[in-house]
Amino acid sequence: MITDYKPAVNFNHINYSVDGIHILKNITESFPEGKITTLVGPSGAGKTTLLKLCNGLLSPDSGEIYIKGKSISSYEPVELRQLVGITLQSAPMINGSVLKNLALPLELQGRELIEKDAKNLLHDVGLEEEFLHRPIKDLSGGQRQKVSIARTLVNRPQILLLDEITSSLDRISQQEIEELIVKINQKYKTTIIWITHNLQQAMTVGNYTWVMMKGEVIETGTSDLLHSPVNEKVRHFLKGEVK
Amino acid sequence: MSYVHLSIALIFVILPIILSKTLNLGLERDTMIAVVRSIVQLLAVGYILKFVFDSENMIYILLMVTVMIAAATQNAQKKGVSIQGITWKVTVTLVVIEVLTQSILLGFKITPPTAQYIIPISGMVIGNSMVLAILFLNRFTAEVETHQDVTELILSLGGTPKQAIHTQLITAIKSSMIPTIESQKTIGLVQLPGMMSGQIIAGADPMQAVQFQLLILFLLLTTASVTSAMLGYLSYPSLFNHRMQLLRGK
């Protein structure tokens, strides 16, 4: 259990099921504030569901989630989603320019994104200013993913959830995104929770790690645990024996 | 036309049955069922209409309109079973359409308040509204399913359910209205509308028939837009819960 830091997100006996199938089983853990925590584990472990619970896209069947010390149900849904941003692996882009995509979160609040702020956002995610008016369809996978992260950052979330955002990218783009995650964490003190299948990324970028399997959190700790796990199931997973 | 002449017209039924048998289409049984049902249903409606027209009693007119709405609701709601409370939503839509159109027609004395006018016009309005509801529900449920990721994206960025479903809703409303608008563009050029043809055959003045047909076309335009928009705005909130989460089969 991660106990030496103030929690940004706290799970208290969380259960979640779909059609009688248990997706998450009695999760009681926390994500430290201002740190990068990676979630690793085989497919179907419940990692994405966990992120969607934090952003309020889903609600647990039982248990309580606390965001920055307050029960998640005490937040208004819109307020919660601005506080806890999420970039999903398959986040769709809106047809049109990069600017149109970046402007979306403010447009939903009836506000306008000024071009200077849009350029700053692009700068933050490592894209040149001239990308602003480029059609989204002309962007590479890595560039799209950066725009997707920048779009989530428009709301200035204090907690950023990232779901396998590098899985379909080449090595160079992966590295750029890794650097970007560290930069966002350091510049804005954003708590980052990042699902990744790449154990090397988890070890080098993450401060903390959760290993999840079949809806349960098997082991948590600093990312060093991936070098020398205590749990036997985790050792099997790290050896590639559990898919 | 006498019943003898109508019996001779059964030749038009024999031909497709022979064709189906020759080409091994396997549609003989369905064709026979369709013919028998249409004879029984239309004759029954004919006798009922005659009774209602003769009685000129408003209660019977209301009863017939109620039956039409109930049958149309039963048919249309099947396409939206995934939407909570779809039956009452379709019913309310059809009732509003009927009340709106009849209020204008009777209020401005465009048509007289008799069974002869109220029932056939109600039939056309409710029938058209039912088809529109089916088209809308078909498209809307497909759009919601296909673009679930966009809905989720907008919700995740702090959008409301209305904002999250807006594009899918507008696409479904537009696509369900297009057939009505498009068919009206070519009317008279490609085909003469059924009601107008019927009146002309029955000996009515063609210009009088055209006037009535235009009245029906205008009514159907209102029916199309009000049905789709109303059903859309009644339906979309049931796709979300009070926490602004997209409901899925859980």
Side-chain angles (χ1 to χ4, degrees):
Chain A
M1 206 168 203
I2 304 167
T3 52
D4 50 345
Y5 273 96
K6 190 179 162 191
V9 184
N10 225 331
F11 297 95
N12 195 4
H13 300 291
I14 293 300
N15 287 288
Y16 184 83
S17 62
V18 175
D19 296 332
I21 299 164
H22 294 285
I23 310 291
L24 293 174
K25 297 171 200 164
N26 200 26
I27 308 278
T28 300
E29 253 301 343
S30 57
F31 292 126
E33 190 164 41
K35 300 288 171 189
I36 302 172
T37 305
T38 55
L39 292 186
V40 298
S43 300
K47 305 184 293 290
T48 302
T49 303
L50 199 76
L51 293 199
K52 287 185 177 179
L53 288 174
C54 298
N55 178 260
L57 284 174
L58 299 173
S59 290
D61 296 339
S62 61
E64 192 67 72
I65 301 171
Y66 297 90
I67 305 284
K68 298 182 92 56
K70 261 176 72 181
S71 167
I72 202 164
S73 50
S74 67
Y75 287 96
E76 284 300 317
V78 171
E79 176 196 9
L80 172 70
R81 288 164 190 167
Q82 288 168 358
L83 178 72
V84 185
I86 188 168
T87 302
L88 293 166
Q89 180 187 13
S90 52
M93 306 306 284
I94 304 297
N95 281 338
S97 66
V98 168
L99 178 61
K100 195 177 173 192
N101 274 275
L102 294 181
L104 180 64
L106 292 185
E107 203 182 297
L108 295 171
Q109 301 165 38
R111 291 160 58 201
E112 226 176 289
L113 178 70
I114 54 172
E115 200 158 313
K116 188 174 156 247
D117 289 345
K119 284 177 180 167
N120 285 340
L121 276 164
L122 283 186
H123 178 75
D124 276 352
V125 297
L127 287 174
E128 306 292 326
E129 283 182 9
E130 55 258 34
F131 275 89
L132 202 58
H133 298 287
R134 211 173 270 188
I136 213 81
K137 62 180 171 54
D138 292 350
L139 267 56
S140 70
Q143 289 162 345
R144 275 173 181 236
Q145 207 55 277
K146 285 177 181 176
V147 173
S148 184
I149 295 170
R151 186 173 59 187
T152 310
L153 291 176
V154 172
N155 282 332
R156 293 276 171 242
Q158 292 180 34
I159 300 166
L160 179 61
L161 316 170
L162 304 169
D163 185 4
E164 292 193 44
I165 52 168
T166 60
S167 59
S168 57
L169 304 182
D170 58 57
R171 188 58 217 144
I172 295 168
S173 302
Q174 279 188 24
Q175 247 167 2
E176 286 173 358
I177 299 275
E178 286 167 16
E179 285 163 16
L180 170 62
I181 289 170
V182 174
K183 186 176 148 190
I184 294 167
N185 170 250
Q186 289 174 352
K187 187 172 174 185
Y188 300 109
K189 306 287 173 233
T190 310
T191 302
I192 294 179
I193 298 141
W194 179 22
I195 296 177
T196 176
H197 269 128
N198 186 327
L199 297 174
Q200 197 57 42
Q201 277 181 340
M203 283 187 266
T204 53
V205 182
N207 305 115
Y208 293 90
T209 292
W210 287 24
V211 184
M212 290 183 71
M213 284 179 197
K214 292 181 182 169
E216 289 176 288
V217 179
I218 305 295
E219 196 168 343
T220 61
T222 59
S223 296
D224 290 341
L225 82 83
L226 296 172
H227 288 291
S228 48
V230 178
N231 190 289
E232 199 179 336
K233 285 183 195 169
V234 178
R235 280 202 293 271
H236 283 302
F237 167 66
L238 296 177
K239 281 182 196 164
E241 291 166 9
V242 182
K243 292 289 174 200
Chain B
M1 188 167 58
S2 67
Y3 279 107
V4 177
H5 289 127
L6 188 61
S7 309
I8 296 169
L10 282 172
I11 293 171
F12 296 118
V13 175
I14 297 166
L15 275 174
I17 291 174
I18 294 171
L19 208 61
S20 171
K21 209 155 178 72
T22 317
L23 298 176
N24 276 330
L25 300 178
L27 293 173
E28 304 91 281
R29 197 180 129 83
D30 280 338
T31 310
M32 281 309 293
I33 290 173
V35 169
V36 173
R37 276 189 66 161
S38 57
I39 291 170
V40 173
Q41 285 165 203
L42 283 180
L43 283 177
V45 167
Y47 283 117
I48 293 169
L49 284 178
K50 192 168 163 32
F51 170 73
V52 175
F53 287 4
D54 290 346
S55 72
E56 279 297 344
N57 187 332
M58 211 30 122
I59 302 278
Y60 290 131
I61 298 174
L62 277 177
L63 200 67
M64 273 216 78
V65 172
T66 307
V67 170
M68 283 176 190
I69 290 176
T73 301
Q74 178 57 28
N75 204 16
Q77 59 88 26
K78 290 180 205 155
K79 297 291 173 190
V81 280
S82 57
I83 298 166
Q84 237 179 19
I86 190 62
T87 306
W88 76 258
K89 284 165 187 169
V90 173
T91 309
V92 167
T93 305
L94 295 178
V95 169
V96 168
I97 293 282
E98 172 65 6
V99 170
L100 177 76
T101 51
Q102 288 299 339
S103 304
I104 294 171
L105 291 175
L106 301 178
F108 287 101
K109 297 192 168 44
I110 300 169
T111 55
T114 58
Q116 190 194 341
Y117 285 90
I118 295 175
I119 292 174
I121 291 176
S122 296
M124 282 186 264
V125 165
I126 294 166
N128 191 62
S129 190
M130 178 192 75
V131 173
L132 258 295
I134 290 171
L135 286 175
F136 169 78
L137 290 171
N138 249 342
R139 184 63 187 260
F140 186 52
T141 46
E143 283 287 317
V144 170
E145 185 74 27
T146 314
H147 300 291
Q148 203 167 303
D149 55 347
V150 177
T151 308
E152 208 162 53
L153 168 79
I154 293 174
L155 289 175
S156 78
L157 290 171
T160 61
K162 192 177 174 186
Q163 289 170 324
I165 211 76
H166 180 77
T167 312
Q168 295 90 310
L169 190 61
I170 296 303
T171 307
I173 291 175
K174 262 174 83 174
S175 74
S176 61
M177 285 178 63
I178 284 170
T180 305
I181 297 169
E182 286 303 315
S183 70
Q184 295 201 7
K185 283 185 189 167
T186 55
I187 208 145
L189 295 175
V190 180
Q191 58 168 2
L192 293 179
M195 191 200 77
M196 196 174 106
S197 308
Q199 277 189 297
I200 293 170
I201 290 167
D205 169 27
M207 285 317 289
Q208 184 72 19
V210 165
Q211 278 184 12
F212 262 103
Q213 188 59 54
L214 283 173
L215 169 73
I216 297 301
L217 293 184
F218 300 156
L219 275 181
L220 297 190
L221 273 180
T222 289
T223 308
S225 55
V226 175
T227 302
S228 303
M230 196 170 157
L231 198 53
Y233 282 95
L234 282 177
S235 301
Y236 90 82
S238 345
L239 300 173
F240 302 88
N241 64 15
H242 72 287
R243 294 293 298 166
M244 295 190 185
Q245 294 164 343
L246 183 62
L247 296 170
R248 19 195 140 206
K250 212 192 147 186

